[in-house]
Amino acid sequence: MAPRPRPHYMRRMTQPPVAARIPHATTHHGIVRDDPYDWLRDPGYPKVEDAAVLGYLAEENTWFDAWMAPHAATVDTLFAELKGRVKDDDSGVPVRDGAFDYWWRFDAGGQYRIWLRRPAAGGDDAVILSEPVEAAGKDYFRLAGISVSPDGALAAWTADDDGSERFKLYLRDLSTGADTLVATTAIGVAVWAADSASFAWTEVNDAWRPYRVRLHRLGEAAGSEDDAVLYEEADASFFVGLDRSTDRSHFLITAADHVTSEVRLIPTSDPAAPPVLVSPRETGREYDLDVRDATVFVRTNDTHVNFRIATATLAAPGVWTDLIPGDDRVYLRGLTAFASYLAISERVDGLDGVLLRYDDGRETKIAFPEASYTVGIGSNPEPDAPLLRLGYSSMVTPSTVYDYDVAADRLIVRKVQDVPSGYDASAYRTERLMAPAADGTLVPVSVVYRADFPRDGSGRLHLYGYGAYGLAIPPSFSASRLSLLDRGFAYAIAHVRGGDDMGYRWYLDGKLEARTNTFTDFVVSAHALIAAGFASAGNISISGGSAGGTLMGVVANTDPGLWRAVVADVPFVDVLGTMLDGSLPLTPIEWPEWGNPGEDAEVYRQIAAYSPYDNVTAQDYPPILITAGLNDPRVTYWEPAKWAAKLRATKTDANPLLLKTNMGAGHGGKSGRFESLRETAEEFAFLLAAFEAKA
């Protein structure tokens, strides 16, 4: 075995680091793959202690700091702007749950939320949990959630303190604030039994896969090994999820990958009862459900790609009768079975909507004030919702919390996002373009810009994309985005295939063998924006993260001349290498999304043809900023590190290439509302520098 490179990161850096190349090759289907930067994967992962690896990452961070140093004033200015748009002492809108109203607040200057409640009948406010207290002394803190017992006396809460998404589970006595550590292998939010004497929680294994649901009974010893197993999933390609029906009658245990799912029911009144399988998994069929009394409401794609809604009974939950059939235009995205109506999230021709359906067959579509917007059903924890909590925004309208009065058919504004430094919506415009793809498909592109933005191709344009897992990127408001708009940028979102922006078929048409549609849709979106006068070629900056980082890597390889700068956050760029490695926790569940190149030679060739790391070539690239998280379990740190190393060794230009690795964080970057804003300020400063360098 070739020796591992020695770290030399203590020296003063005047040039970007150059990673060592160590020969490493693998062969699949008779095809040899060279991977000279494979050494950047620490053999002890998830622990990263190899001195050579840490040394290289430290060098890259030192180089990032050195490059950013001349731009420190810009970063500080941007950070001040971003922070000035955040309400310092912000608070949430209270929501009723049983005998209490619950909400959160930020104290002035606080990085983290404080969670509170007060008796619904009147009384004093009480702190349930203070994130600032729990985060004290930690470089990273993320609260997954708090679940209060039905009797209101206890709370189960989960938190991650290093970004690895391996959460600690605690039980808190709300009368004293005293905590008991229940487990160190939890994920998600606990669900209480009806009698408040036990709660269910989801456990991850050593490979980080959520695979088991356990039951913790009050009074039993802490530690996961003492908690009864309610369900365990044996298939390494399936993750387990836990929820509760809206009527609070059942635990809902889901086992799923990206295309197949099944659900089991356990009464919350009898947690020890054997789980009832609703319908066995069938490859390619997804379903989810809710329960109201003896009726099961099922959303499934078994007969239509855009899903249908069916009903069943608890006595025969797998026998489904059509309630709302599938429709080519109407994408049924979710359902909640309240006591007096069914609330359905839908998307019609790409536009969000909320439909209420009553038992007598009547339907109400909630009307909203703009032509283009995003809306979703918010927190409605009680079994019925005569006032339905909604979240709404558009690219020019700040986030708004509505209560929809069901009886009166009217929206009640509960909160509008405050922009303390000032915001005048009339100064901005938004529109939607349709970009024609080569196959005739029209790709939606949402754009926002100042009213005085020039439409002659001379302006600056930033284009964002994602395109995977059926996750739409909504045309929503961003206060941070104003710092670009007010500096002469238009900001666009390409709703490329791979998301579900235009229905579930939109997702299917951007995955597996159709994955390249995602990439070409993004490029044609850029050309449509150029044709509409928003920019000229080479005057467009782009960004995307995670699977959106795959997109960034591909289009940087295929169309480098289109882009002024590229920002790739925690980018999934070694697609081929990761999909070949079934020992990684996320790989088996990802095969239905990307394909299994180890088993199928054609899949290997398809992925190899676009995988960003494998297709870096000797050509000029635009300025590129790459971020990573050392503890990231979703996109392992070595993917962006290997990509940066190969780019630096291969590209033929002198443009900046920066890699910043958060050494104490994971997939989402730094925690705390202001720390994350500083990272945004750094990215904006990088973009501004790229435009000004060629101005």
Side-chain angles (χ1 to χ4, degrees):
M1 177 181 292
R4 298 179 74 77
R6 297 176 61 188
H8 45 95
Y9 53 89
M10 296 304 293
R11 72 174 185 236
R12 178 183 174 89
M13 296 193 67
T14 58
Q15 295 294 324
V18 177
R21 291 173 57 91
I22 298 178
H24 178 83
T26 55
T27 302
H28 297 271
H29 314 294
I31 305 170
V32 178
R33 180 178 189 248
D34 292 319
D35 188 1
Y37 302 105
D38 177 77
W39 66 269
L40 284 167
R41 174 178 176 172
D42 191 316
Y45 181 82
K47 292 184 178 180
V48 185
E49 300 173 334
D50 185 281
V53 171
L54 293 173
Y56 172 70
L57 297 178
E59 279 196 331
E60 287 285 4
N61 281 348
T62 300
W63 180 247
F64 171 84
D65 291 339
W67 191 91
M68 290 297 297
H71 308 284
T74 302
V75 173
D76 289 343
T77 298
L78 287 163
F79 177 67
E81 288 179 12
L82 301 179
K83 191 175 180 181
R85 298 193 191 102
V86 176
K87 184 173 172 57
D88 207 15
D89 56 350
D90 201 7
S91 62
V93 181
V95 60
R96 179 71 50 84
D97 188 2
F100 295 91
D101 290 329
Y102 293 85
W103 75 102
W104 54 263
R105 74 162 193 255
F106 282 106
D107 284 345
Q111 293 267 23
Y112 299 96
R113 288 180 170 90
I114 298 169
W115 297 83
L116 307 101
R117 71 177 182 182
R118 73 168 67 96
D124 296 332
D125 298 353
V127 173
I128 301 172
L129 186 142
S130 171
E131 290 187 47
V133 170
E134 304 304 330
K138 299 181 175 72
D139 292 333
Y140 182 94
F141 180 82
R142 175 187 166 199
L143 180 72
I146 308 169
S147 179
V148 177
S149 59
D151 64 9
L154 303 166
W157 61 282
T158 44
D160 171 16
D161 57 15
D162 65 4
S164 67
E165 301 187 39
R166 290 169 172 83
F167 293 79
K168 295 181 177 70
L169 171 63
Y170 299 91
L171 178 63
R172 172 164 294 190
D173 184 330
L174 292 178
S175 65
T176 65
D179 283 327
T180 301
L181 178 64
V182 175
T184 59
T185 55
I187 196 167
V189 182
V191 179
W192 284 88
D195 62 3
S196 300
S198 61
F199 59 83
W201 59 280
T202 308
E203 184 176 21
V204 296
N205 62 13
D206 291 340
W208 185 80
R209 181 173 70 90
Y211 78 115
R212 190 153 57 187
V213 175
R214 288 185 177 271
L215 184 74
H216 182 76
R217 293 182 173 87
L218 304 188
E220 291 186 349
S224 60
E225 294 306 314
D226 297 309
D227 287 356
V229 175
L230 299 184
Y231 175 72
E232 182 171 338
E233 175 57 49
D235 189 334
S237 67
F238 275 64
F239 279 22
V240 171
L242 174 67
D243 204 346
R244 184 180 67 179
S245 60
T246 302
D247 70 356
R248 307 182 181 184
S249 66
H250 285 81
F251 297 106
L252 309 178
I253 299 175
T254 301
D257 62 12
H258 290 301
V259 298
T260 304
S261 62
E262 66 181 12
V263 181
R264 288 169 172 80
L265 303 174
I266 300 177
T268 56
S269 61
D270 186 10
V276 174
L277 177 60
V278 172
S279 182
R281 66 189 66 171
E282 297 177 7
T283 300
R285 183 189 68 169
E286 296 182 64
Y287 72 91
D288 52 72
L289 57 85
D290 203 355
V291 179
R292 182 207 296 158
D293 301 324
T295 302
V296 180
F297 294 88
V298 181
R299 186 186 74 103
T300 179
N301 63 350
D302 60 349
T303 63
H304 197 284
V305 69
N306 275 339
F307 289 76
R308 66 174 174 130
I309 293 177
T311 59
T313 65
L314 285 173
V319 180
W320 300 343
T321 302
D322 248 3
L323 180 67
I324 300 176
D327 186 282
D328 291 342
R329 291 184 58 223
V330 181
Y331 174 36
L332 302 172
R333 301 178 55 238
L335 64 86
T336 306
F338 293 110
S340 56
Y341 60 90
L342 193 65
I344 300 164
S345 297
E346 60 181 18
R347 188 170 291 142
V348 181
D349 296 333
L351 184 64
D352 287 351
V354 178
L355 173 72
L356 307 188
R357 183 182 175 95
Y358 305 91
D359 288 345
D360 61 6
R362 290 181 297 117
E363 293 183 347
T364 298
K365 288 197 175 187
I366 301 177
F368 296 99
E370 295 177 277
S372 179
Y373 58 85
T374 180
V375 67
I377 297 174
S379 178
N380 296 273
E382 296 214 300
D384 204 9
L387 296 175
L388 179 66
R389 180 65 48 85
L390 302 169
Y392 174 96
S393 79
S394 77
M395 294 191 82
V396 295
T397 301
S399 297
T400 303
V401 177
Y402 285 118
D403 276 345
Y404 174 71
D405 187 326
V406 176
D409 185 23
R410 66 187 180 99
L411 289 168
I412 304 168
V413 176
R414 296 301 189 195
K415 178 184 177 181
V416 178
Q417 177 184 351
D418 188 8
V419 182
S421 60
Y423 173 67
D424 178 7
S426 68
Y428 302 89
R429 302 287 184 269
T430 185
E431 60 185 86
R432 193 186 209 197
L433 309 178
M434 301 302 287
D439 62 1
T441 300
L442 295 178
V443 181
V445 186
S446 299
V447 197
V448 62
Y449 51 94
R450 285 187 61 92
D452 56 0
F453 181 84
R455 294 289 291 271
D456 58 3
S458 66
R460 300 174 174 183
L461 171 66
H462 186 81
L463 179 60
Y464 178 86
Y466 185 71
Y469 304 111
L471 297 177
I473 303 300
S476 56
F477 182 78
S478 167
S480 296
R481 188 186 296 149
L482 298 175
S483 287
L484 293 180
L485 301 185
D486 291 345
R487 285 174 171 80
F489 280 79
Y491 188 103
I493 300 169
H495 302 284
V496 297
R497 282 173 283 187
D500 67 353
D501 308 65
M502 297 295 287
Y504 197 78
R505 171 58 63 188
W506 202 251
Y507 164 51
L508 298 179
D509 287 345
K511 62 181 293 190
L512 295 173
E513 67 278 358
R515 174 66 61 185
T516 55
N517 284 335
T518 299
F519 316 135
T520 55
D521 283 358
F522 190 81
V523 173
V524 301
S525 296
H527 284 294
L529 289 160
I530 291 170
F534 283 101
S536 57
N539 219 31
I540 305 172
S541 59
I542 59 174
S543 65
S546 194
T550 313
L551 173 58
M552 295 300 101
V554 171
V555 300
N557 284 334
T558 61
D559 295 85
L562 268 180
W563 321 123
R564 178 63 65 93
V566 179
V567 175
D569 288 311
V570 291
F572 179 37
V573 284
D574 187 12
V575 183
L576 185 58
T578 295
M579 289 300 101
L580 284 168
D581 189 352
S583 71
L584 292 172
L586 284 178
T587 293
I589 198 174
E590 297 288 343
W591 284 328
E593 177 77 16
W594 305 88
N596 186 344
E599 289 190 353
D600 189 317
E602 182 57 30
V603 170
Y604 184 101
R605 293 184 182 92
Q606 288 170 359
I607 296 177
Y610 70 76
S611 180
Y613 174 67
D614 294 272
N615 288 278
V616 171
T617 59
Q619 63 178 350
D620 286 359
Y621 283 86
I624 300 175
L625 169 60
I626 305 166
T627 68
L630 189 68
N631 299 326
D632 189 345
R634 299 175 184 267
V635 176
T636 49
Y637 75 88
W638 61 80
E639 291 206 32
K642 287 168 56 176
W643 186 44
K646 189 173 184 180
L647 277 166
R648 185 166 283 124
T650 309
K651 69 192 188 80
T652 55
D653 60 86
N655 289 324
L657 169 64
L658 305 178
L659 169 65
K660 178 187 178 182
T661 303
N662 280 310
M663 304 304 283
H667 199 61
K670 291 184 178 180
S671 61
R673 58 174 176 161
F674 298 132
E675 285 300 312
S676 61
L677 288 180
R678 182 163 289 279
E679 294 190 322
T680 301
E682 290 174 342
E683 294 187 5
F684 284 3
F686 174 80
L687 297 177
L688 291 171
F691 277 92
E692 290 161 5
K694 294 186 178 181

